[in-house]
Amino acid sequence: MIPAPTRVRPTPRNVALGEAVRFGLLGAHAPVIGLLDVDGVLRAVDELRTAFEPAPVLHTFAAKACALVPVLRLMAQAGMGCEVASAGELHLALAAGFPPERLILDNPAKTVEELRFALTRGIAINLDNFQELARVDALRSEGVGTGAPIGLRVNPQVGTGSIGAMSTATQTSKFGIALGDPGAVNAIVAAFAQRPWLSRLHAHVGSQGCSLELMAAGIKATYKLAEHINTLLGRFQVRSLDIGGGLPVNFADDEVKPTYADYVDVLRARVPGLLDGRYTLLTEFGRSLVAKSGTVASLVEYTKTSGGRPIAITHAGAQVATRTVFMPNAWPLRVGAHDANGRPKEGPTVPQDIAGPCCFAGDLTAVARPLPLLEPGDVVALHDTGAYYFSTHFAYNSLPRPAVYGYRVGEDDRVRFAPIRDAQSIGELVQEGGDEHGDSLVGLLDPAPEESEPAG
Ligand SMILES: *Cc1c(COP(=O)(O)O)cnc(C)c1O
């Protein structure tokens, strides 16, 4: 018996794509845009919070995953804190309205002025190394500081995930103090012994490509170090543990896996005591909170075949999908083929290359991908690009940053859009290219002006 056809409800992504075309957000004047599913983001925040309950946790959003003020403000309003790792991210977070006590400063190369700013404003800091600790000592001796938590980042050296460049807890990682190195643990204990104001340990094992077991092993080493310090010092000095982010995202289909609940299960099994409430926990998830809610949508400008291979030339390449283009094996993306109205294309699939607009041969977001044959005017969607894609622009070929919109799909499939970031204008691009100094180099070719004669 053939079952009666049921109407499959289109995904929010597909509804939004169609409406983005109909409303003219995506079109000849704006051939590439970013889209963010607001309800998807809020659902992820909710899943994160629920997974850790009832442990005392401050969940922070790693700003670098999507450093756009409206996104950060949405996170702030949803009760999140924010992890920042540069002066730029810090000021975006402040502009978004995060109270200082919900911020964590993690830059690997903090300047004295950045440390002073955080100390003065009551922003928690995770220190990366002993030299930085000495700088904080000096600032504190000047009376700078408010009592906001200060922690030390450790590198538990638990090894590499599937993407070396994203693994922060390798033997020789540049991050934190390497726990296994000779004398490191003793030096850390001494640092805490001498400074009762040091109250936190921080570890972030990696970002995408690390198994839950590897992440939990890093947290376990950090937890054991906290217990060791507190036992040796005979006081509960390490009060909070920042367990970082790094939950991997599934880029293969729409399923969310692993979930935050899966991760918490592994943490409970591998690090008994971690969630029992003695320690306040902090998390710093980025990718897993926003990746699956984002889409890069581009028009197909031209199509051709080369060496028999069909190629669709789009406006989304390395400028919005940098990692995918340069490391295609580590960062493959799903590509959706849509018609000129934004509706999913039907028909037999043909292996096609999906190319971007950049002037280098490797500017491909997919190679030999089986998709219904694309035509000029069609729409291509890069799925799961809410983190580290449209928000992490690469300025190659002076391509402008595309506009980004948030959206909500109502019960009736009505879509409401809100601007997150305007497209960069050509004027802004020219300005960014040093236009105000236009004459400077030509001016250097002129003879040097005579030194003016000293008066007298
Ligand atoms: C990048 C980063 C994060 C976030 O990593 P995700 O993989 O996006 O969750 C958290 N903490 C630190 C210190 C980071 O560098």
Side-chain angles (χ1 to χ4, degrees), residues 67-82:
L68 299 166
V69 173
V71 177
L72 299 180
R73 188 164 302 171
L74 184 73
M75 293 288 184
Q77 184 165 316
M80 299 285 297
C82 193

Side-chain angles (χ1 to χ4, degrees), residues 180-407:
D181 285 12
V185 168
N186 287 343
I188 293 171
V189 171
F192 276 81
Q194 289 153 15
R195 297 172 185 80
W197 45 267
L198 267 183
S199 65
R200 179 174 290 174
L201 288 175
H202 172 219
H204 168 70
V205 171
S207 192
Q208 192 67 14
C210 292
S211 70
L212 300 185
E213 291 292 341
L214 186 73
M215 289 164 57
I219 313 289
K220 180 174 184 175
T222 312
Y223 172 82
K224 283 174 67 177
L225 177 63
E227 297 278 83
H228 179 66
I229 294 170
N230 288 342
T231 305
L232 277 183
L233 300 188
R235 56 181 188 244
F236 194 65
Q237 182 172 334
V238 181
R239 315 183 71 83
S240 55
L241 296 172
D242 182 339
I243 65 170
L247 190 78
V249 164
N250 165 33
F251 286 92
D253 57 40
D254 276 336
E255 195 187 339
V256 174
K257 69 173 179 192
T259 63
Y260 292 114
D262 294 336
Y263 184 33
V264 170
D265 284 346
V266 174
L267 287 176
R268 278 190 211 286
R270 295 287 178 252
V271 200
L274 177 72
L275 291 134
D276 69 9
R278 277 179 309 136
Y279 292 95
T280 297
L281 301 183
L282 297 104
T283 71
E284 308 172 334
F285 294 101
R287 181 177 290 105
S288 53
L289 284 167
V290 288
K292 297 206 82 63
S293 297
T295 305
V296 170
S298 167
L299 293 189
V300 175
E301 194 69 50
Y302 299 105
T303 57
K304 58 160 76 168
T305 60
S306 190
R309 172 80 54 81
I311 303 170
I313 300 170
T314 77
H315 290 274
Q319 91 277 30
V320 286
T322 316
R323 283 179 173 152
T324 296
V325 165
F326 287 108
M327 297 175 72
N329 297 326
W331 299 100
L333 285 176
R334 287 183 293 155
V335 178
H338 298 252
D339 65 19
N341 293 316
R343 280 189 285 265
K345 273 198 111 153
E346 316 258 314
T349 62
V350 185
Q352 292 163 78
D353 286 2
I354 311 300
C358 298
C359 293
F360 65 96
D363 189 34
L364 304 169
T365 51
V367 174
R369 188 68 59 86
L371 290 169
L373 191 64
L374 289 158
E375 298 159 80
D378 284 348
V379 173
V380 155
L382 305 180
H383 296 191
D384 309 322
T385 46
Y388 307 103
Y389 282 89
F390 51 67
S391 61
T392 311
H393 186 82
F394 172 45
Y396 195 87
N397 268 149
S398 297
L399 289 160
R401 287 185 285 271
V404 180
Y405 301 92
Y407 67 87

Side-chain angles (χ1 to χ4, degrees), residues 40-65:
V41 172
L42 294 179
R43 208 177 312 124
V45 169
D46 203 51
E47 284 165 7
L48 169 61
R49 190 171 297 136
T50 308
F52 279 83
E53 270 167 7
V57 190
L58 171 63
H59 295 292
T60 69
F61 174 60
K64 73 176 181 286

